[in-house]
Amino acid sequence: MVNVSSEFISIGCNKTTHAACWGHSGLVAFGADTLIALYSPLNEHSKGIIETLPGHKSRVICVKFIERGYEGDMKDVALVSGSADNTAKIWKKDSTGKWINSATLEGHTGAVETIACMRARSIEEETDMIITGSADGTIRIWERRIVDESKDEVTCQQIINNGNKYPMSLALSYLPNSKIPIFASGHTDKLIAIYVYQNNSKQFEKMHVLQGHDNWVRDLSFATYTGSDIESPNNLFKEGDLMLASASQDKYIRLWKISAHIPTKTEAKAEETNHDMSDLSEALKESSLDEEQLSTKTHIINVNSQQYSLMFEALLMGHDDWVFSVEWQRPYIQTTNEGGKRLIQPMRLLSASSDKSMMIWSPDVNTGVWVNEVRMGDIGGTSALGFCGALFSPDGKNVMSHGANGSFHLWKDNSGTKDENNWTPRVAISGHFKSVESLTWDPKSRFLVSVSLDQTTRLFAPWIREVDGNKVTTWHEMGRPQVHGYDIKCITFVHDWKFVSGADEKVLRVFDAPRTCVESLTSLTGDKTMMENIENLPVGANLPALGLSNKAVFEGDDKVENEEDENDNTLGNHSATAATPEVLAQVMQHPPFEEQLIQHTLWPEVDKLYGHLYELICVDSTKDGKLIASACKAANAEHAVVRLFNTDNWKEVETKIDAHALTVTRVRFSHNNRWLLTVSRDRLWSLSERNEDHSMPYKLIAKTKAHARIIWDCSWSHDDRMFATGSRDKTVKIWTQTDPEQPAKWDCIATIKCAEAVTAVDFAPITVDNKYILAIGLENGRIQLLSSANMQELNKWELWHNLEERLCHHGVVRSLTWRRLISVENSLLQLASAGEDRSVRIFNVEY
């Protein structure tokens, strides 16, 4: 019985403000390409991403949890996600604890940009209100009813049209001391519109427009004032007041107050004399007259014969760039001195900005002025882009932000007292933020390296440690050997600590591991064999400010530089502070944070291989690491040659393998180095045999038209008896030598039909129950495992296991590679896969 489970998933978060949400259960849900990924950041045993939920057809833009409960006892009942496919979907757990899509909200004609769910002191309704804002300029109000544990019924209650000013942000709550819903929407016209639910018409009505921001309003957040845990002077909030925070691209955050209005005597008299002119129209008239002035006037709105006042409360200045998100800390239950319990809404606000910082704001104890009590983030680092959004954990002791390069940053509050502000970074998750093109295990299968169109090469390895006396193994990104200026397409290892990668440029680049990387991996994985012969490796590498090549840094480099530069002003030199030998020599005790990954885990580049005239597509090396074969994009036979490079001197071998007319999509050396197999867009495969001649190490001996469409991938069986080719014509073909006397004669002995185009194939490194195992990846993201009937009957193949859709990719499978066995005892294989959905996945295959 075959059982396949997920060991590790790495995928980057989408670059949108509302792409992530932290629920009361401690679960973070975030949009990752078209998937929704679920992750528990505070669970010590967490393997990172628990699972990914497929369903949306396009990028997920926003996610929000639906809450229900009384005061301090809130529960997440469901999750809503909005996507660029013009729909929103509701997800909830069924009776078995599996997340399922229970309803789809259809109707928008543009991408769903923002979602609001009710946020209040207590939400005890039978139905849930959901508000979606879309790029089609409309806001839709929906009502969700639970039908049964796997289905929800959602009805659209109202559509509000805003013309060409589309909503960027929404927030929903109740009016002070009532159950009347109110929502605020921030638009691309710099205004915040306030809508209140009218009981008689059962519709929302626009009651007021808040002016003040002079750029797009990116985020809004409501909280109910409950009386503060710190009594500060000048506090203008009364218990029950609604606080609204708004973040804008004008670099400022504004706080607004909505409270129940008690008319004074003079106002009451004026009202008697002038009935027909309501306060609202007066206020609107005045605001239209002095439109540009900063208005702190109280605006009165009438809702069901009750008056409420809207007022601008405070301006929070501190960010140097666009502010993308604001969020209030969640309320908590406090035990009073008398032993009673009361709900406290902390006066703390978290904001994230593209100036690479996130700040926590609170009113000063002495003056009541809002100040930023702590600032976190990558101050001045080399990462080009800042944060998209930030979240408070349910207890307010942790904050998390997601950045523009798909990674998360987690910080923990270690303060003993209130005023200490001691926040420290914690290990979070990261992943590629564009399609992952290729991946490979190192020659001893100790770690995995992937390359992607996001212009990075990433190294993943297990972190083996003890938590509460139990041994825990979790996979993490341990390094980023290459951060490039071109999309990277292919990679291969030459020996244990040296790899070659090819990108959308004409040069192959060779990288050597720095000593720190080897030492860090040894300490984190506990594998002492890694430390063999690493004496002459450099300490680390740094990337010059305007360069593409990582320069090696050796011990003592700094001293020489300092002597030369004594008269120069080193402020202009970006790498002077970034990567000194002392900093690079530090051995990691835990997986690195994003800031360290960007700067301190680069591998030095040791050589460049020239020769190709177009962008590189594929590369492979012999198992002894003596030769490298590579191919580039080609539209004719002249450029479709496979070039061979000698790794002793990094020079190109004279003779090229000239077998194809169009782009060679894959080159694969056999395990015994005797054969070199190439497959191409011209639908042929070609085979070259090892030669003792130094000028022609491989000689072309056969080529065959194999498929009706492009051949995407090929793979050798572990004993080199046969190879498989996979093509867009939806077939996999198995080829073997039928006559040992004729080495050039390889025939197709089996054709396996698939439901979709085959984009990746790889043979398992061993036989299982006397069967060969072949993994195939399809264009729709599914992965299947096939097995031969036995070792002799290679013409009969059957489905060994079909991986569940939830485990697989949601887009083309770009690359599959089995991990070479470390031990044979535990009947476990590991398969790594890379996909267009930006994810790198490792599966445990138990047999």
Side-chain angles (χ1 to χ4, degrees), residues 422-456:
N422 174 18
W423 290 78
T424 51
R426 300 290 298 271
V427 175
I429 55 170
S430 56
H432 287 289
F433 54 92
K434 285 193 182 157
S435 168
V436 188
E437 292 296 297
S438 177
L439 80 174
T440 179
W441 294 96
D442 76 293
K444 294 204 171 91
S445 278
R446 296 175 294 199
F447 55 88
L448 183 68
V449 181
S450 63
V451 295
S452 158
L453 300 183
D454 67 9
Q455 309 188 341
T456 62

Side-chain angles (χ1 to χ4, degrees), residues 39-48 398 410 412 426-427 463 465-468 470-474 476:
Y39 160 51
S40 283
L42 303 180
N43 178 358
E44 286 278 345
H45 300 261
S46 160
K47 289 191 167 184
N398 295 271
L410 181 64
K412 183 178 193 305
R426 300 290 298 271
V427 175
W463 180 24
R465 62 198 187 282
E466 280 209 358
V467 177
D468 309 329
N470 300 329
K471 187 178 163 190
V472 175
T473 303
T474 53
H476 299 267

Side-chain angles (χ1 to χ4, degrees), residues 770-811:
N770 264 349
K771 298 174 182 173
Y772 289 97
I773 305 297
L774 176 67
I776 59 171
L778 306 179
E779 199 169 49
N780 61 357
R782 298 302 292 271
I783 297 170
Q784 294 176 343
L785 304 178
L786 308 175
S787 69
S788 62
N790 52 42
M791 299 283 282
Q792 282 68 45
E793 293 180 80
L794 301 180
N795 54 352
K796 291 184 187 153
W797 288 77
E798 61 198 18
L799 184 66
W800 194 51
H801 188 80
N802 200 357
L803 269 69
E804 264 185 275
E805 190 181 1
R806 304 170 76 87
L807 292 174
C808 296
H809 293 277
H810 202 244

Side-chain angles (χ1 to χ4, degrees), residues 392-552:
F392 264 119
S393 66
D395 63 356
K397 292 271 178 255
N398 295 271
V399 296
M400 184 172 208
S401 68
H402 55 281
N405 51 1
S407 61
F408 281 97
H409 303 251
L410 181 64
W411 297 74
K412 183 178 193 305
D413 184 3
N414 295 323
S415 314
T417 61
K418 250 202 169 69
D419 308 324
E420 194 185 339
N421 281 334
N422 174 18
W423 290 78
T424 51
R426 300 290 298 271
V427 175
I429 55 170
S430 56
H432 287 289
F433 54 92
K434 285 193 182 157
S435 168
V436 188
E437 292 296 297
S438 177
L439 80 174
T440 179
W441 294 96
D442 76 293
K444 294 204 171 91
S445 278
R446 296 175 294 199
F447 55 88
L448 183 68
V449 181
S450 63
V451 295
S452 158
L453 300 183
D454 67 9
Q455 309 188 341
T456 62
T457 302
R458 299 179 191 233
L459 185 153
F460 300 97
W463 180 24
I464 300 169
R465 62 198 187 282
E466 280 209 358
V467 177
D468 309 329
N470 300 329
K471 187 178 163 190
V472 175
T473 303
T474 53
W475 286 77
H476 299 267
E477 185 181 342
M478 296 293 192
R480 209 164 290 171
Q482 187 183 7
V483 177
H484 203 35
Y486 292 96
D487 297 356
I488 311 176
K489 301 286 274 196
C490 51
I491 183 169
T492 183
F493 269 89
V494 182
H495 68 68
D496 286 5
W497 298 109
K498 188 173 270 166
F499 72 78
V500 179
S501 73
D504 272 350
E505 50 175 349
K506 303 167 191 177
V507 191
L508 282 161
R509 294 172 186 267
V510 186
F511 293 87
D512 225 338
R515 196 164 69 237
T516 319
C517 166
V518 182
E519 289 169 353
S520 297
L521 280 175
T522 305
S523 82
L524 293 171
T525 59
D527 185 349
K528 297 284 181 281
T529 58
M530 289 189 184
M531 295 298 283
E532 292 159 11
N533 46 30
I534 60 155
E535 287 71 50
N536 40 12
L537 293 176
V539 183
N542 68 35
L543 189 60
L546 299 171
L548 275 177
S549 303
N550 303 343
K551 296 276 180 285

Side-chain angles (χ1 to χ4, degrees), residues 89-134:
K89 285 184 184 290
I90 295 177
W91 309 81
K92 65 178 182 183
K93 280 187 172 178
D94 65 5
S95 53
T96 60
K98 241 168 90 164
W99 284 88
I100 47 167
N101 177 206
S102 59
T104 302
L105 286 56
E106 290 171 325
H108 283 296
T109 55
V112 178
E113 294 285 336
T114 171
I115 293 174
C117 298
M118 183 59 79
R119 295 287 182 264
R121 286 177 68 161
S122 54
I123 309 161
E124 294 167 299
E125 306 287 328
E126 287 307 302
T127 61
D128 299 296
M129 188 180 283
I130 300 164
I131 302 180
T132 56
S134 162

Side-chain angles (χ1 to χ4, degrees), residues 17-18 168-171 184-188 190-192 210 212-222 244-256 312 314-317 319 321-328 349-354 359 361 387-390:
T17 302
H18 308 106
M168 303 281 297
S169 50
L170 292 166
S185 67
H187 295 261
T188 51
K190 314 172 195 173
L191 303 173
I192 302 169
L210 300 174
H213 284 298
D214 56 8
N215 208 326
W216 291 1
V217 181
R218 294 305 291 250
D219 200 14
L220 295 164
S221 179
F222 271 126
L244 173 65
S246 60
S248 162
Q249 289 182 182
D250 63 9
K251 309 180 195 172
Y252 301 128
I253 298 163
R254 285 170 176 262
L255 298 185
W256 314 82
F312 170 61
L315 181 69
L316 278 51
M317 303 158 74
H319 284 296
D321 212 329
W322 294 3
V323 186
F324 279 123
S325 87
V326 281
E327 188 182 56
W328 292 97
L349 190 68
L350 175 67
S351 65
S353 159
S354 56
M359 296 185 181
W361 306 79
F387 296 126
C388 298

Side-chain angles (χ1 to χ4, degrees), residues 218-467:
R218 294 305 291 250
D219 200 14
L220 295 164
S221 179
F222 271 126
T224 307
Y225 184 71
T226 56
S228 174
D229 42 353
I230 19 173
E231 283 310 318
S232 67
N234 310 333
N235 181 15
L236 300 171
F237 291 109
K238 293 187 197 64
E239 189 160 340
D241 284 0
L242 200 55
M243 306 183 285
L244 173 65
S246 60
S248 162
Q249 289 182 182
D250 63 9
K251 309 180 195 172
Y252 301 128
I253 298 163
R254 285 170 176 262
L255 298 185
W256 314 82
K257 178 177 77 169
I258 301 170
S259 50
H261 182 64
I262 300 119
T264 56
K265 285 192 178 138
T266 49
E267 272 182 39
K269 269 187 190 154
E271 211 159 67
E272 284 165 24
T273 55
N274 189 351
H275 258 308
D276 55 349
M277 200 156 183
S278 72
D279 281 22
L280 180 62
S281 61
E282 223 170 88
L284 284 172
K285 264 191 187 165
E286 279 191 23
S287 68
S288 62
L289 286 173
D290 52 15
E291 196 173 5
E292 290 309 309
Q293 288 176 13
L294 182 66
S295 163
T296 53
K297 183 179 187 306
T298 308
H299 302 285
I300 310 293
I301 57 171
N302 289 309
V303 181
N304 307 339
S305 73
Q306 166 73 33
Q307 290 190 329
Y308 294 92
S309 64
L310 277 66
M311 193 174 170
F312 170 61
E313 184 63 35
L315 181 69
L316 278 51
M317 303 158 74
H319 284 296
D320 311 326
D321 212 329
W322 294 3
V323 186
F324 279 123
S325 87
V326 281
E327 188 182 56
W328 292 97
Q329 187 180 330
R330 288 199 178 91
Y332 62 91
I333 296 281
Q334 187 188 49
T335 312
T336 57
N337 299 338
E338 291 81 53
K341 291 196 160 113
R342 59 178 286 216
L343 187 73
I344 293 281
Q345 166 63 53
M347 296 293 274
R348 291 175 94 196
L349 190 68
L350 175 67
S351 65
S353 159
S354 56
D355 66 4
K356 302 183 221 166
S357 72
M358 49 178 174
M359 296 185 181
I360 297 180
W361 306 79
S362 59
D364 183 62
V365 183
N366 302 322
T367 60
V369 174
W370 282 79
V371 289
N372 66 320
E373 59 175 65
V374 60
R375 178 175 180 150
M376 292 167 274
D378 185 19
I379 316 290
T382 52
S383 59
L385 301 154
F387 296 126
C388 298
L391 308 163
F392 264 119
S393 66
D395 63 356
K397 292 271 178 255
N398 295 271
V399 296
M400 184 172 208
S401 68
H402 55 281
N405 51 1
S407 61
F408 281 97
H409 303 251
L410 181 64
W411 297 74
K412 183 178 193 305
D413 184 3
N414 295 323
S415 314
T417 61
K418 250 202 169 69
D419 308 324
E420 194 185 339
N421 281 334
N422 174 18
W423 290 78
T424 51
R426 300 290 298 271
V427 175
I429 55 170
S430 56
H432 287 289
F433 54 92
K434 285 193 182 157
S435 168
V436 188
E437 292 296 297
S438 177
L439 80 174
T440 179
W441 294 96
D442 76 293
K444 294 204 171 91
S445 278
R446 296 175 294 199
F447 55 88
L448 183 68
V449 181
S450 63
V451 295
S452 158
L453 300 183
D454 67 9
Q455 309 188 341
T456 62
T457 302
R458 299 179 191 233
L459 185 153
F460 300 97
W463 180 24
I464 300 169
R465 62 198 187 282
E466 280 209 358
V467 177

